[in-house]
Amino acid sequence: MAEGLKIEQRHGKNRVRVARVWRRNGGGGDVVVEWEVAIGLFSDCLPAYTSADNSSIVATDTMKNTVYAKAKECTEVLSMEKFAIVLAKHFTTYYPQVSETIININEKPWERVTVDGKPHSHGFKLGSEMHTTEVRMKKCGVLTVISGLKGLSLLKTTQSGFEGFVRDQFTLLPDTKERMVATEVTSSWKYTFGNISEIPEEPFCFTKRYIDVKNELLGTFFGPSDKGVYSPSVQNTLYLMAKQVLNKFQDIEGIHLSMPNLHFLPVNLSSKENPNLVKFNDDVYLPTDEPHGTIQATISRAMSKM
């Protein structure tokens, strides 16, 4: 409270881009990551706002430099989540005035290329979906770790329908048992770890868990490779995807999924001269995402605070 006014504040540095290469001269190939880091500090620096006293401010340029210094110190390959924990622990413990740190990182999806059927030792190509994380750490050691992904584009050419929905005077959409379905998945899942000591030692790895969660999401969305699985709605498929992740991984307490319904509209074209110029037969579509349906939900265990 200052001069009868309540102040809630934090400051930080966004879009700090850092790449780290771990050289594997002895074999196995180089490892490279490219991260975009955002830092937020909750700190006791009210005099900077109320009295122009900057003596308790951690400069955002210092935060940026810390990212590069800590990346240099990480001589062994580590996950994005572990690096976020390293940063959060540093800012929260090194500066007495900092009560809580939030670290957000997006990882650019560089993937090792294969040449002549063999993984290249130092060649990479850019993939599609992006791995994300948010780590929060308080001065008392309380930790929150959230992993996620965005930009995971998925499409099925069949085995999808939508029927039995509310009908009124504005409804034109027909019931269907056969349609294409496409979406771009954004997801985040919260781990049960409440402090650093609760994170398992190796072989547990956040990067592998990210891959495993993504595979469960994909497997549930598509179904078996030979026959697939029917989706009566995006809502039902979203729920089944989340449920599968929670059933598979007991160290995840909740998951959020956003799955916009990107439409493929049947094309029918006709004229007086040619009434069957294009007659739709589950073959020609107009892809569009404007406007599109938005479907999202958070599914968590009964005792979760997510």
Side-chain angles (χ1 to χ4, degrees), residues 199-271:
I199 299 174
E201 298 294 331
E202 295 182 357
F204 176 85
C205 173
F206 283 107
T207 302
K208 184 179 185 305
R209 180 54 50 83
Y210 164 78
I211 295 171
D212 291 342
V213 169
K214 182 169 64 173
N215 286 339
E216 295 299 328
L217 295 174
L218 292 173
T220 307
F221 182 88
F222 290 114
S225 60
D226 56 342
K227 59 182 180 180
V229 63
Y230 183 73
S231 169
S233 67
V234 175
Q235 285 86 342
N236 180 248
T237 297
L238 181 155
Y239 173 74
L240 293 176
M241 292 165 69
K243 182 180 176 183
Q244 176 63 20
V245 170
L246 294 178
N247 287 341
K248 185 78 172 182
F249 306 109
Q250 295 303 307
D251 53 17
I252 293 176
E253 70 173 62
I255 180 169
H256 178 82
L257 283 162
S258 173
M259 295 173 58
N261 195 355
L262 308 181
H263 303 296
F264 282 71
L265 305 179
V267 173
N268 286 290
L269 299 178
S270 64
S271 66

Side-chain angles (χ1 to χ4, degrees), residues 75-89:
T75 57
E76 298 293 330
V77 177
L78 81 168
S79 68
M80 181 174 65
E81 289 86 350
K82 280 289 187 71
F83 185 66
I85 291 170
V86 167
L87 291 175
K89 182 179 179 181

Side-chain angles (χ1 to χ4, degrees), residues 42-116:
F42 292 88
S43 61
D44 184 9
C45 59
L46 290 182
Y49 293 86
T50 60
S51 307
D53 177 0
N54 296 334
S55 60
S56 59
I57 289 282
V58 179
T60 64
D61 188 67
T62 301
M63 300 180 200
K64 176 202 69 178
N65 296 339
T66 302
V67 172
Y68 298 113
K70 292 298 178 182
K72 178 67 175 180
E73 291 176 8
C74 294
T75 57
E76 298 293 330
V77 177
L78 81 168
S79 68
M80 181 174 65
E81 289 86 350
K82 280 289 187 71
F83 185 66
I85 291 170
V86 167
L87 291 175
K89 182 179 179 181
H90 168 80
F91 288 114
T92 305
T93 60
Y94 188 78
Y95 299 103
Q97 68 271 36
V98 174
S99 59
E100 183 177 1
T101 300
I102 302 177
I103 304 293
N104 291 91
I105 306 181
N106 295 329
E107 181 170 282
K108 205 163 186 176
W110 290 111
E111 300 172 350
R112 190 179 304 279
V113 299
T114 299
V115 177
D116 296 329

Side-chain angles (χ1 to χ4, degrees), residues 32 108-114 120 122-128:
V32 62
K108 205 163 186 176
W110 290 111
E111 300 172 350
R112 190 179 304 279
V113 299
T114 299
H120 200 281
H122 58 272
F124 298 82
K125 65 179 180 65
L126 193 60
S128 54

